[in-house]
Amino acid sequence: MSNKHSNIDIFGPTSVTGSSFNIRKFLTKMLFHWPLFLIFFGVFFVIAIFYLKYERPVYEIHAKVFIKPYHPTEKSPLQELNIVDDEKYQETEIGLMSSIPVIEQVITDLQLWVTYEQHTSYFTDKDIYSSTPVQFKLIKPGRNFSSDHLDILIKNKDYFLIKQSGNKFKQYSFKDTFVSGFGTWKLDTTGHLKDYVGKSVTIYLDNPKTVIKDYRDMIAFTVLPKSNDIDLIIEDEVPARGRAVLNDLLRVYMDASVQENRQSSENTLKFVDQRLVSITQELNNVESKYEGFRSNRGITEISNVSSKFLSNVQSTDNQLNAVNIKLSVIDGIERYVGSDQGAENPPAILGLDDAGLSGLIKQYSDLQLQRTRLLATLPENNPLFDPINQQIFSTRNALKENIKSIKAALITTRNQLQNLGSGYESSIRSIPGQERELVDIKRMQGIKENLYVYLLQKKEELSLDYASTISDAVIIDHAHNGPQKWPVSKSVYAISLLFALIIPTGLLIGRDLVKNRILSKSEIVSSTGLSVLSEIIFAENNNPIVVLNQSSYIGEQFRDLRTKLNYLLGKHEKGKITLFTSSISGEGKSFVLSNLGATLSVSGKKTILLELDLRRPTFSSRFKLDKTLPGVTDFLIGNATKNQIIQKLDITNNLYVIDCGTIPPNPSELLESEELAALLKDLRLEYDHILLDTPPVHLLTDAMIVAPLCDLTLYLIRQDYTPKKELEFVSELYQEKKLPRLNLIFNGIKSGKYGDRYNYEKNSYYTQYPSGFKSRIKRFFSRF
């Protein structure tokens, strides 16, 4: 008897490398569960159909606008450093477009706080913005306007019904006016009324403030790279409404832009109009005085000397008036720069021809406007304000310096003109009294006339500028939409197909991970470094002996195991003892032992099966033995002889069995007795093969007790049953040589279920006869 503790690898090399992903194995495993995937395909296909029916469509609407680059007349040092660029200007324009006043005007124009919906046959509501039969008209809003809805039924072209509490309807005329919590209102009919006779429509009224916030979030603004174009995007269920929103938004924005550009001209026109009213009154007074003086005094004309003096004085006065006007304008600009008025009231620059000053005022006003626009959408402490604040500070300082120098020059000019005028006045004093008085009146009349003409001329110039003011934006593309963005049938079906693949695959993988059981031969090889001697497929029937059917593949597997066992033990040697054990109970060691014993006996080998699982014996029930007969425990305690405990089985001619007998209180001590060694020695002389059935070795030490008496160990591992952690224990047994010539048998393999490369049933040489209905049902449900 050989007790050499080694694993003889005669059936292929052993791989100890880590397991890697095998796509063929994975697909085979998934295909085994095809009913599960088929169910998920059906479920998700139905879900996709319902989703396409119930999901509201989404269209993407685009519009494009070109923003003219911002190029002031004179650049400040910060602009020379490119701190404020066109991108910042575009962001400012986007801030204006998305500002609350602009969006609020769009909401009001299109009455977007009112939604019209119709209930469809698919238990959903359809937005009928483009084909609504009625138009809600709010005559006077209530104080506490809140969201509400109206359920109406169109009766005919003149009457409709409103749903009351308790599902009751009350009839009204389209001419009626109503007063409710949200204000005074009425319903006007549209051209689509005839299409909705007898149909119900729901009118939803939302708080305009909420709608403004929603649309500010819905509208996206994108600055196109390397251009001054801004792309406006909105998604809407009704493309006509989306187009209307973007088109009206651009209109309101451009009107606001024009209004801002006209603001400076408006302020100057106001100033001119005010001055004209004052000058007209003063001119009328002077002319009345002049006519009265001539008629009362009898003087019709002045002398040549007086005319000369008057001409010189009027010329000086005209120049002095122009200087005073400029000083008045300069004072207004100085007050504007020193105040916090921002961009709301830019000053008039009437009569100032200084290009540098005009450019700085325009630049300062534009910067203040940018800042005001940003304040509409951003908090004042936002970092985006830093460059604008720096630019405003720099421009304000430059303006102050420019104003200071211009003002000083104007004051000097005024003083010179005043001195010159004083000289002329001294000369006029030498003229006779009545004539001198007439000269003074003519002088004042000329001053007022010249000033009046000057202001009229400036008013015409400003009116032309005001009328020709255009927006800083140009519409490139009006609002337009493409095909429906979502849901798209192909995409929905593709996604449903993807989910139908991913979810069952995830369930199967997750189930395997949770169970953490051995599923494949490769897991055994990679974890233990041992080769698998034989693989036994799962037996679907409850027969203890399945090898007698010569046409079954499992019988062929046991015959293959018999051949390998004979090779390992020596074909012509007699009395070889083989130990059967496993890690835990239920791994099929008794089943494999019984069928291997039957296979050996059929080949003419005298074989005996010995029950050494003295705690939970199975031979009596498996082979239907008489439990009253003595067994191995009775022999070990001296209550029976060897011949009394050996029973012949009717399965084959050469198969014998020794049952457990009386279950002892001390099974381990009995197995250590000399009587067991003597019994095995005697059996070696009479039998070709002695097969020992022992308890699980990881639970009890019984197998290790009898291991020194054995020639070979067949260690059972069952697919989808044995925990993976047991492989470490198997490897430890082999490394420490605790069991003789340890060989592994992979039992209970369900062909194809876990991605086995070889489909045993389909590739069997033998004909597979159809199984019963219950067996087919059981096999089908095993695929889930």
Side-chain angles (χ1 to χ4, degrees):
M1 179 177 67
S2 173
N3 290 325
K4 184 178 179 181
H5 291 198
S6 63
N7 177 275
I8 304 176
D9 186 9
I10 60 172
F11 305 107
T14 300
S15 172
V16 294
T17 59
S19 60
S20 59
F21 181 75
N22 188 320
I23 185 65
R24 180 182 296 177
K25 178 180 176 181
F26 176 79
L27 292 177
T28 302
K29 177 180 178 179
M30 295 302 110
L31 287 174
F32 178 85
H33 298 280
W34 65 264
L36 181 64
F37 284 90
L38 185 62
I39 290 175
F40 273 92
F41 285 150
V43 169
F44 277 99
F45 182 75
V46 172
I47 291 175
I49 292 175
F50 276 91
Y51 180 82
L52 291 172
K53 292 287 185 183
Y54 284 94
E55 181 64 12
R56 295 193 174 194
V58 176
Y59 293 86
E60 190 172 79
I61 299 93
H62 289 259
K64 189 183 294 183
V65 62
F66 170 76
I67 304 298
K68 297 176 183 178
Y70 173 65
H71 296 304
T73 306
E74 290 188 2
K75 291 188 177 181
S76 67
L78 287 175
Q79 283 179 312
E80 295 291 346
L81 294 175
N82 201 27
I83 292 178
V84 177
D85 53 16
D86 287 339
E87 288 188 13
K88 297 287 191 305
Y89 185 66
Q90 291 167 350
E91 291 175 3
T92 304
E93 295 302 308
I94 290 175
L96 176 60
M97 291 185 204
S98 60
S99 63
I100 291 178
V102 172
I103 300 296
E104 183 178 13
Q105 185 62 48
V106 174
I107 300 299
T108 303
D109 292 344
L110 303 178
Q111 210 176 27
L112 296 175
W113 49 274
V114 183
T115 307
Y116 308 90
E117 293 188 352
Q118 181 188 16
H119 197 65
T120 67
S121 57
Y122 297 106
F123 305 101
T124 59
D125 292 329
K126 177 184 177 183
D127 195 312
I128 53 174
Y129 171 86
S130 301
S131 60
T132 175
V134 295
Q135 192 78 30
F136 181 88
K137 182 179 180 181
L138 185 63
I139 300 172
K140 183 180 179 182
R143 293 183 177 180
N144 300 318
F145 190 97
S146 59
S147 299
D148 206 339
H149 74 280
L150 299 170
D151 292 315
I152 67 171
L153 176 65
I154 309 298
K155 185 176 182 180
N156 51 45
K157 66 177 182 177
D158 298 316
Y159 296 96
F160 66 96
L161 291 84
I162 297 181
K163 187 177 182 180
Q164 311 287 330
S165 59
N167 291 329
K168 296 180 179 179
F169 286 86
K170 187 174 181 181
Q171 180 173 298
Y172 296 95
S173 170
F174 283 112
K175 297 179 181 179
D176 293 337
T177 301
F178 305 90
V179 178
S180 59
F182 44 81
T184 305
W185 58 277
K186 68 185 298 290
L187 292 181
D188 293 333
T189 60
T190 69
H192 300 280
L193 181 67
K194 60 181 180 180
D195 299 329
Y196 286 85
V197 174
K199 297 180 180 179
S200 297
V201 174
T202 302
I203 303 174
Y204 292 96
L205 308 174
D206 295 317
N207 191 321
K209 293 182 179 179
T210 304
V211 177
I212 291 171
K213 182 181 182 301
D214 293 340
Y215 269 91
R216 288 188 71 190
D217 296 336
M218 288 169 58
I219 302 174
F221 302 89
T222 304
V223 179
L224 300 181
K226 298 181 180 180
S227 73
N228 291 318
D229 298 344
I230 298 177
D231 192 17
L232 288 72
I233 307 170
I234 188 173
E235 292 182 353
D236 201 321
E237 175 184 355
V238 183
R241 181 171 54 203
R243 294 194 300 269
V245 168
L246 292 189
N247 286 331
D248 198 58
L249 175 65
L250 290 176
R251 181 192 64 80
V252 173
Y253 157 71
M254 295 183 74
D255 289 346
S257 178
V258 169
Q259 187 60 34
E260 288 174 356
N261 291 338
R262 285 176 172 176
Q263 198 167 22
S264 177
S265 298
E266 285 181 352
N267 292 334
T268 306
L269 279 171
K270 282 183 182 179
F271 172 78
V272 171
D273 286 336
Q274 291 171 359
R275 291 294 295 151
L276 277 172
V277 171
S278 175
I279 293 298
T280 300
Q281 186 177 359
E282 293 174 4
L283 182 59
N284 290 335
N285 292 335
V286 171
E287 288 179 344
S288 298
K289 185 178 180 181
Y290 176 71
E291 292 296 330
F293 184 87
R294 290 179 61 189
S295 61
N296 292 332
R297 303 294 178 90
I299 299 176
T300 57
E301 297 295 337
I302 60 175
S303 64
N304 292 333
V305 175
S306 298
S307 297
K308 181 178 180 182
F309 285 145
L310 180 60
S311 176
N312 292 332
V313 170
Q314 285 180 338
S315 175
T316 303
D317 287 340
N318 289 338
Q319 296 180 49
L320 189 59
N321 282 333
V323 171
N324 286 331
I325 290 175
K326 291 180 180 180
L327 282 172
S328 176
V329 172
I330 283 291
D331 289 338
I333 295 172
E334 195 170 24
R335 287 192 300 271
Y336 167 74
V337 173
S339 69
D340 296 326
Q341 292 180 359
E344 294 182 0
N345 297 298
I349 53 174
L350 183 67
L352 294 176
D353 299 326
D354 191 294
L357 178 64
S358 300
L360 286 172
I361 291 174
K362 178 67 166 61
Q363 178 180 340
Y364 184 74
S365 178
D366 288 344
L367 289 170
Q368 289 283 17
L369 178 61
Q370 291 182 38
R371 191 174 187 277
T372 302
R373 290 175 180 176
L374 288 177
L375 283 173
T377 56
L378 298 173
E380 193 170 0
N381 57 355
N382 192 288
L384 190 60
F385 284 98
D386 292 342
I388 295 180
N389 289 335
Q390 292 175 8
Q391 183 79 350
I392 290 173
F393 178 77
S394 172
T395 307
R396 181 187 287 120
N397 289 338
L399 260 175
K400 288 180 178 180
E401 292 296 326
N402 197 293
I403 291 170
K404 184 178 179 182
S405 61
I406 294 175
K407 189 173 183 179
L410 289 173
I411 290 174
T412 301
T413 303
R414 185 183 64 180
N415 292 336
Q416 292 174 352
L417 290 172
Q418 286 175 345
N419 291 334
L420 185 60
S422 297
Y424 288 135
E425 288 177 359
S426 299
S427 300
I428 291 174
R429 291 190 188 101
S430 63
I431 300 174
Q434 289 187 356
E435 190 173 351
R436 184 175 65 247
E437 191 173 351
L438 183 59
V439 168
D440 289 338
I441 294 174
K442 287 282 290 184
R443 173 189 174 188
M444 186 59 64
Q445 183 185 17
I447 291 173
K448 300 303 180 184
E449 286 178 349
N450 290 333
L451 188 55
Y452 182 78
V453 171
Y454 174 78
L455 290 175
L456 280 179
Q457 180 183 355
K458 291 300 179 182
K459 182 178 179 179
E460 289 300 317
E461 293 175 358
L462 290 169
S463 298
L464 289 173
D465 290 340
Y466 182 85
S468 61
T469 303
I470 60 174
S471 172
D472 291 331
V474 178
I475 298 177
I476 299 176
D477 292 328
H478 287 277
H480 60 279
N481 63 278
Q484 182 174 311
K485 180 182 178 182
W486 188 260
V488 180
S489 299
K490 291 182 179 179
S491 300
V492 171
Y493 286 123
I495 292 173
S496 63
L497 176 63
L498 187 64
F499 274 104
L501 289 171
I502 291 176
I503 292 180
T505 301
L507 290 175
L508 294 172
I509 294 174
R511 183 175 66 181
D512 293 343
L513 292 175
V514 170
K515 290 193 298 186
N516 198 28
R517 297 171 183 171
I518 300 170
L519 302 177
S520 65
K521 175 182 175 181
S522 60
E523 292 177 341
I524 302 173
V525 174
S526 62
S527 297
T528 64
L530 299 172
S531 60
V532 175
L533 179 66
S534 181
E535 297 174 77
I536 307 297
I537 65 172
F538 178 76
E540 296 182 2
N541 55 52
N542 295 322
N543 296 330
I545 304 298
V546 297
V547 296
L548 299 181
N549 182 2
Q550 298 295 318
S551 300
S552 66
Y553 189 78
I554 191 171
E556 182 62 28
Q557 287 182 315
F558 274 104
R559 287 188 285 274
D560 176 70
L561 177 59
R562 177 185 66 191
T563 302
K564 293 177 179 178
L565 188 66
N566 288 332
Y567 188 93
L568 290 172
L569 295 175
K571 184 175 181 181
H572 303 292
E573 295 185 21
K574 191 175 182 179
K576 294 298 182 180
I577 301 177
T578 302
L579 174 70
F580 285 79
T581 189
S582 62
S583 299
I584 58 176
S585 61
E587 294 183 276
K589 53 184 176 56
S590 300
F591 170 79
V592 174
L593 177 144
S594 303
N595 282 275
L596 179 60
T599 305
L600 289 169
S601 64
V602 168
S603 67
K605 301 291 183 179
K606 191 176 181 181
T607 305
I608 188 169
L609 312 179
L610 181 57
E611 175 71 272
L612 292 185
D613 190 347
L614 305 182
R615 292 174 175 80
R616 296 177 62 183
T618 59
F619 279 9
S620 58
S621 59
R622 181 177 294 274
F623 300 115
K624 296 180 174 54
L625 303 176
D626 187 354
K627 294 184 179 180
T628 61
L629 296 177
V632 65
T633 57
D634 300 295
F635 174 82
L636 296 178
I637 61 177
N639 291 337
T641 63
K642 181 186 71 171
N643 293 331
Q644 289 177 325
I645 63 175
I646 297 176
Q647 301 180 55
K648 187 177 186 307
L649 296 176
D650 295 333
I651 299 173
T652 62
N653 293 329
N654 295 315
L655 187 60
Y656 299 85
V657 65
I658 298 178
D659 196 12
C660 171
T662 304
I663 297 179
N666 55 344
S668 297
E669 287 74 10
L670 289 179
L671 294 177
E672 291 177 342
S673 64
E674 294 181 358
E675 284 78 6
L676 178 62
L679 175 63
L680 292 177
K681 185 176 181 180
D682 291 342
L683 294 176
R684 283 180 182 273
L685 300 175
E686 299 181 27
Y687 296 91
D688 296 308
H689 289 279
I690 303 100
L691 308 182
L692 308 184
D693 189 3
T694 62
V697 71
H698 204 179
L699 302 178
L700 301 167
T701 60
D702 295 7
M704 292 187 184
I705 293 174
V706 300
L709 305 175
C710 302
D711 302 303
L712 183 73
T713 300
L714 295 183
Y715 199 99
L716 273 293
I717 296 174
R718 182 175 173 181
Q719 187 185 54
D720 195 25
Y721 186 86
T722 305
K724 289 183 179 180
K725 61 182 181 180
E726 296 297 335
L727 293 177
E728 184 178 350
F729 176 71
V730 173
S731 180
E732 179 183 336
L733 290 176
Y734 174 72
Q735 296 295 333
E736 297 179 5
K737 299 182 180 179
K738 293 182 178 180
L739 297 175
R741 302 176 68 187
L742 180 65
N743 287 270
L744 303 179
I745 294 180
F746 196 26
N747 183 40
I749 297 176
K750 296 179 180 179
S751 179
K753 184 174 183 179
Y754 299 104
D756 305 279
R757 184 173 55 185
Y758 194 75
N759 192 322
Y760 298 104
E761 290 87 348
K762 289 185 178 181
N763 292 282
S764 175
Y765 179 78
Y766 298 98
T767 302
Q768 299 296 311
Y769 296 100
S771 55
F773 177 75
K774 290 184 177 180
S775 179
R776 289 178 179 271
I777 294 297
K778 187 177 180 180
R779 285 173 61 87
F780 177 78
F781 281 103
S782 70
R783 294 181 178 270
F784 288 93

